[in-house]
Amino acid sequence: MKVIIHIETFTTAAYRAIRPALVASIDGFLGVCDKTFSATIKQSDYAYLVDVVKHAAQSAGVDHSEYAIINLQRITPNPGGVPRH
């Protein structure tokens, strides 16, 4: 199952620390708006991605208060392939 995860960075230092780790770790869609990352990942990869973000931040000396994983939303399959409006 796929999920959408949002990671918000509150400082430039956090953004610069976390961005390369996300780009290297995500096998799927990654979008950025201002300092918020949105990624579509496999649900089974969620814990791994959280660890990647924490490690990248710690390695750069970024405090946990400078970023947040703010949302995790499941993507439900569309039965029958009929578009939703």
Side-chain angles (χ1 to χ4, degrees):
M1 173 163 295
K2 298 277 185 171
V3 295
I4 298 173
I5 185 171
H6 298 284
I7 301 165
E8 186 172 352
T9 58
F10 307 117
T11 65
T12 300
Y15 176 86
R16 289 181 178 165
I18 292 170
R19 183 183 168 276
L22 290 177
V23 170
S25 300
I26 292 178
D27 182 23
F29 172 79
L30 175 64
V32 180
C33 181
D34 194 23
K35 291 182 183 172
T36 301
F37 299 94
S38 297
T40 302
I41 61 172
K42 294 178 191 172
Q43 187 172 1
S44 59
D45 291 340
Y46 175 76
Y48 168 73
L49 189 62
V50 169
D51 287 342
V52 164
V53 169
K54 286 180 182 179
H55 180 71
Q58 287 174 349
S59 295
V62 171
D63 188 67
H64 183 67
S65 65
E66 296 180 55
Y67 69 93
I69 298 173
I70 57 173
N71 192 8
L72 177 67
Q73 177 181 3
R74 287 191 175 122
I75 299 174
T76 56
N78 186 1
V82 178
R84 296 182 199 174
H85 297 289

